[in-house]
Amino acid sequence: MSTETTADTSTDTSTDTSTDSSTDSSTDSSTANSANRAAALRGIIDATAAATSDDAAKASVVFHAAGSGDSGVATDIQIRTHEVQVDEPPALGGVDSAPNPVETALAGLLSCQVVTYRFWAAKLDIPLDDVRVETEGDLDVRGFLGLRDGVRPGLGAVRVKVRLTGPASPEQYRELHAAVDEHCPVLDLFTNPTPVSTELVTG
């Protein structure tokens, strides 16, 4: 697993005054939105700290998803009140009606990185306007299809590229990057062994 962060802290120095007013307005709005979001997230952090300080059991959360096979190799999934579909491209038996399971896992990592960057920017009081994340993973399908002994069925490598935009310094964004890599739940799931049990029900 590798993660890479780049920071965009540049300021447009062009002298085209025709766009100054609209640019300033957009920047002010973005800054206000970022500040409001950070304040709301700090409120969640503070409320959670207060609620769990005397009872660690209150910090434990169980997440749940359920699903069943649809036509071909597609799966219809229910997560709380949300309905999600997962499929495969034709090369793997599907009709490409939705992302496949591996892409969905990478999307879960990507989105968890975004959430964790938002929370930890608020916690560390580091101004952050935007986060863009790209994930990619390498998979040898011979392991999945049992075509070669010793080939891992899962991802052999995962790469995460993060671009941060905002007024903070590169040093602050490196500090934020380190905090996120230490505390991102799905990154932890990808990089550390997690006990998994499976149960078969027939009939």
Side-chain angles (χ1 to χ4, degrees), residues 14-30:
S14 78
T15 57
D16 183 0
T17 58
S18 65
T19 60
D20 283 354
S21 178
S22 61
T23 299
D24 289 346
S25 176
S26 176
T27 300
D28 290 345
S29 176
S30 176

Side-chain angles (χ1 to χ4, degrees), residues 40-56:
L41 295 180
R42 280 194 296 270
I44 293 173
I45 294 170
D46 292 343
T48 303
T52 60
S53 60
D54 295 328
D55 186 358

Side-chain angles (χ1 to χ4, degrees), residues 128-168:
L128 177 63
D129 292 339
D130 196 18
V131 186
R132 178 173 177 80
V133 183
E134 297 178 32
T135 55
E136 60 179 19
D138 303 329
L139 187 141
D140 187 331
V141 296
R142 294 177 300 174
F144 164 58
L145 298 172
L147 301 178
R148 177 68 65 88
D149 291 341
V151 175
R152 182 181 178 185
L155 293 170
V158 174
R159 293 169 294 281
V160 182
K161 184 176 182 179
V162 182
R163 182 178 182 84
L164 305 180
T165 304

Side-chain angles (χ1 to χ4, degrees), residues 118-131:
R118 292 297 193 194
F119 266 93
W120 274 85
K123 184 179 178 72
L124 298 174
D125 198 21
I126 295 176
L128 177 63
D129 292 339
D130 196 18
V131 186

Side-chain angles (χ1 to χ4, degrees), residues 3-201:
T3 63
E4 174 189 352
T5 301
T6 59
D8 183 359
T9 59
S10 61
T11 301
D12 184 2
T13 59
S14 78
T15 57
D16 183 0
T17 58
S18 65
T19 60
D20 283 354
S21 178
S22 61
T23 299
D24 289 346
S25 176
S26 176
T27 300
D28 290 345
S29 176
S30 176
T31 300
N33 289 338
S34 297
N36 290 339
R37 176 174 51 236
L41 295 180
R42 280 194 296 270
I44 293 173
I45 294 170
D46 292 343
T48 303
T52 60
S53 60
D54 295 328
D55 186 358
K58 292 181 180 179
S60 180
V61 181
V62 176
F63 294 94
H64 177 78
S68 57
D70 197 350
S71 59
V73 297
T75 306
D76 291 325
I77 301 170
Q78 295 78 46
I79 304 172
R80 293 185 284 117
T81 60
H82 307 291
E83 295 185 0
V84 180
Q85 188 173 72
V86 174
D87 196 14
E88 291 282 4
L92 288 172
V95 296
D96 208 18
S97 63
N100 73 16
V102 174
E103 291 166 333
T104 303
L106 291 172
L109 173 59
L110 181 162
S111 57
C112 194
Q113 284 271 293
V114 171
V115 171
T116 309
Y117 269 99
R118 292 297 193 194
F119 266 93
W120 274 85
K123 184 179 178 72
L124 298 174
D125 198 21
I126 295 176
L128 177 63
D129 292 339
D130 196 18
V131 186
R132 178 173 177 80
V133 183
E134 297 178 32
T135 55
E136 60 179 19
D138 303 329
L139 187 141
D140 187 331
V141 296
R142 294 177 300 174
F144 164 58
L145 298 172
L147 301 178
R148 177 68 65 88
D149 291 341
V151 175
R152 182 181 178 185
L155 293 170
V158 174
R159 293 169 294 281
V160 182
K161 184 176 182 179
V162 182
R163 182 178 182 84
L164 305 180
T165 304
S169 69
E171 292 76 15
Q172 287 177 298
Y173 285 144
R174 283 193 288 270
E175 176 189 3
L176 177 58
H177 172 64
V180 168
D181 278 3
E182 183 178 357
H183 295 280
C184 177
V186 179
L187 182 62
D188 178 81
L189 181 64
F190 268 75
T191 56
N192 292 301
T194 300
V196 177
S197 62
T198 63
E199 176 184 358
L200 176 64
V201 179

